[in-house]
Amino acid sequence: MIDHFPESSLLISKEDLIPYSFDATATFYHAPLAVLFPSSIEDILWVLKWAKSNHACILPRGSGTSLSGAAVPQKNSIVLSMTKWNKILETDPDNLTLLVEPGITTQVVQEEAAKYSLFYPPDPGSYKISTIGGNVGHNSGGIRGLKYGVTRNYVLGMEVVLPNGQVVWLGNKCVKDSAGYSLKDLFIGSEGTLGIVTKVLLRLIPKPQERQVILASFPTLEAASEATSAIIKAALIPSALEFLDQKTIECIEAYSPAGFPKESQAVLLIESDGHPQAVRDEITRINQVLKQYGPLEIKIAEDPKQQEQLWSARKVAFSALARKAPTVLLEDVTVPRSSLVQMIRKIQQISKTYAVEIAVYAHMGDGNLHPVFLGDESNKDLMEKVFRAMKEIFLYAIKLGGTITGEHGVGLAKKEFLAYQYKSEEFQLLKSIKKILDPENLLNPGKIFD
């Protein structure tokens, strides 16, 4: 590889490899053999062939913001960094589509859409630095998933380099397409285990005309959870319905004050968007539901500046909690929304049983909870309790009909729990797809399953 690629495209020194030895997930580290910044499809094909001949493997990687260990190298890995593939290739307002390279950030995609009064809704918390390729690999969501869905709902097509060296285009600009299997969907959420995405065709939608934001505080976690379930039961679908517990509120207020009431046990942050009259009607009805669950206070953000202040504070929840302990692990179980109260109670009980501090914030309207475990890698006894508590939460979510991950993916962190979620024949079907597309286990091995 040293003879084939210029020095500017290849990192091999121990110091240079350190930043690529981990991602945003705590506790997983492994140095790659090298990091390659390919400049063409031909570079990718060359390194695939080299890896195959030298018993190495390839890890496609964007910004490394994965929270499941999916972007952590394994033994004999070559990291294929796609961060320099960051161009907008075509904006097509006639068809409401955007063709981009995989290394472009989510924020830049959102800004490009806004130039045409269009909207790209997926917005993971790391949107300022996460790449579209990474979002596709993890089927990322964010705070607007309740009304607008996740990355999968906005991918119309993609170019993919397969492990066998074939370059294929999957999908098109059509709104409807029933011609055979939807192959592109296989690669969404595949965590770089099936192919290397080199172009992505995204769907855009009209930008909502107006939005309003409600901040409601509650005396108990149960009251906030019950209010959430009641909003959904009333067939109200706001664009966002977020939950923060008291630990999270305190950390946010210490890190980036936004006026969240620290005396409350939980708050709901709710956004309605759309036609102005529809927004007013929805806000009125949501207020009526909230008042039935004994809120301490209900406030409506006064202007766009205050709305942005609240959302900015919400988006730093993980960073704020990360200051609370030496090792912070963020998980994302998802349960049916009718089971939110049971799941919240169970997390509280598990926290007490194992004497492990667990904060919770959530995309509550999606049923997607983020328990945040405050640990310390230097304390083995504590970390053992953290992992036992985590396992119990995963198993309870599955028991309620939920999933071990709503938007972070499986990666290394949750692969031992994946088999609990599927029946044996379903799990084997999942593994058979990897075996068909990548029989030599060349791409990101050891992720999702062994």
Side-chain angles (χ1 to χ4, degrees):
M1 289 181 68
I2 295 172
D3 295 334
H4 188 82
F5 293 104
E7 193 175 334
S8 59
S9 298
L10 192 64
L11 304 179
I12 55 171
S13 75
K14 185 178 177 182
E15 294 77 12
D16 286 339
L17 298 182
I18 289 173
Y20 298 89
S21 303
F22 55 88
D23 58 17
T25 321
T27 73
F28 294 105
Y29 312 91
H30 199 289
L33 291 176
V35 177
L36 176 67
F37 298 88
S39 59
S40 64
I41 293 284
E42 287 70 29
D43 284 353
I44 295 173
L45 296 176
W46 190 94
V47 76
L48 274 171
K49 192 174 178 181
W50 184 92
K52 189 175 178 180
S53 302
N54 290 275
H55 306 291
C57 53
I58 303 293
L59 167 57
R61 177 174 164 129
S63 297
T65 56
S66 170
L67 287 162
S68 62
V72 177
Q74 299 294 277
K75 187 179 178 184
N76 294 329
S77 292
I78 306 293
V79 169
L80 197 67
S81 176
M82 303 301 287
T83 51
K84 293 184 179 179
W85 293 49
N86 56 4
K87 294 185 182 64
I88 294 170
L89 301 173
E90 180 195 65
T91 305
D92 182 355
D94 291 341
N95 286 299
L96 306 184
T97 62
L98 187 62
L99 181 65
V100 299
E101 292 183 326
I104 197 166
T105 65
T106 318
Q107 183 179 31
V108 172
V109 166
Q110 291 173 347
E111 290 171 351
E112 176 68 11
K115 290 177 187 174
Y116 298 85
S117 296
L118 296 173
F119 186 37
Y120 178 71
D123 59 344
S126 56
Y127 75 105
K128 290 184 178 179
I129 55 171
S130 66
T131 63
I132 286 296
N135 291 179
V136 170
H138 289 76
N139 192 24
S140 301
I143 61 173
R144 300 190 186 103
L146 172 58
K147 180 175 180 178
Y148 292 107
V150 295
T151 299
R152 185 184 301 280
N153 303 109
Y154 296 88
V155 176
L156 288 171
M158 63 177 73
E159 182 182 79
V160 185
V161 179
L162 300 176
N164 65 7
Q166 290 181 325
V167 182
V168 295
W169 176 264
L170 309 172
N172 52 52
K173 289 184 179 179
C174 297
V175 175
K176 294 181 178 178
D177 183 359
S178 297
Y181 305 124
S182 180
L183 294 175
K184 67 177 171 58
D185 281 297
L186 271 181
F187 295 85
I188 301 170
S190 68
E191 303 182 18
T193 62
L194 302 180
I196 300 163
V197 176
T198 49
K199 291 177 186 172
V200 185
L201 179 65
L202 297 169
R203 179 172 77 95
L204 306 177
I205 62 175
K207 187 178 179 182
Q209 294 177 43
E210 184 170 313
R211 65 174 181 164
Q212 288 194 25
V213 176
I214 295 176
L215 176 64
S217 58
F218 292 86
T220 65
L221 301 180
E222 287 84 354
S225 305
E226 288 168 355
T228 300
S229 296
I231 289 170
I232 301 301
K233 190 175 179 182
L236 293 164
I237 307 295
S239 54
L241 204 175
E242 298 288 296
F243 168 98
L244 305 169
D245 74 354
Q246 190 178 40
K247 283 192 183 75
T248 308
I249 293 166
E250 287 175 350
C251 288
I252 289 176
E253 286 299 308
Y255 180 66
S256 178
F260 289 136
K262 289 189 282 186
E263 68 279 5
S264 63
Q265 289 296 308
V267 300
L268 294 179
L269 194 55
I270 307 167
E271 179 180 277
S272 173
D273 70 3
H275 187 279
Q277 185 58 51
V279 170
R280 286 193 288 275
D281 291 346
E282 190 169 64
I283 289 290
T284 299
R285 291 183 62 199
I286 289 172
N287 256 306
Q288 290 168 350
V289 174
L290 291 173
K291 286 176 181 174
Q292 296 172 30
Y293 294 89
L296 298 172
E297 188 177 29
I298 300 175
K299 292 169 64 177
I300 297 179
E302 294 174 359
D303 51 40
K305 184 180 177 182
Q306 194 173 35
Q307 293 173 359
E308 194 54 45
Q309 186 181 16
L310 290 170
W311 283 124
S312 295
R314 160 59 187 87
K315 288 176 180 177
V316 301
F318 182 54
S319 301
L321 284 163
R323 301 164 73 236
K324 185 86 173 170
T327 304
V328 176
L329 296 166
L330 171 63
E331 288 305 339
D332 77 320
V333 294
T334 302
V335 297
R337 290 167 293 190
S338 57
S339 301
L340 282 168
V341 177
Q342 294 127 285
M343 194 71 232
I344 286 286
R345 284 179 181 152
K346 187 68 175 181
I347 292 172
Q348 287 180 294
Q349 179 210 314
I350 290 171
S351 175
K352 289 177 183 172
T353 300
Y354 291 96
V356 170
E357 203 171 358
I358 305 174
V360 180
Y361 63 92
H363 308 304
M364 206 65 156
D366 309 351
N368 183 193
L369 292 93
H370 290 309
V372 183
F373 300 80
L374 307 181
D376 182 351
E377 278 185 274
S378 67
N379 184 337
K380 288 185 179 178
D381 290 341
L382 174 59
M383 292 308 288
E384 185 181 333
K385 287 194 285 185
V386 164
F387 289 119
R388 286 169 60 196
M390 194 181 290
K391 180 177 181 179
E392 195 164 333
I393 287 174
F394 287 146
L395 295 181
Y396 191 71
I398 293 169
K399 184 180 176 182
L400 292 175
T403 171
I404 60 172
T405 174
E407 58 185 4
H408 293 171
V410 177
L412 292 171
K414 280 170 276 194
K415 67 177 179 179
E416 71 173 283
F417 307 109
L418 189 63
Y420 291 111
Q421 189 171 323
Y422 290 95
K423 292 178 182 175
S424 175
E425 57 271 30
E426 298 164 350
F427 192 59
Q428 290 307 315
L429 179 62
L430 203 64
K431 295 179 78 170
S432 69
I433 292 169
K434 169 72 172 175
K435 197 167 183 180
I436 290 168
L437 286 172
D438 186 15
E440 295 177 90
N441 211 15
L442 204 57
L443 293 183
N444 207 11
K447 309 299 167 55
I448 304 179
F449 37 64
D450 290 317

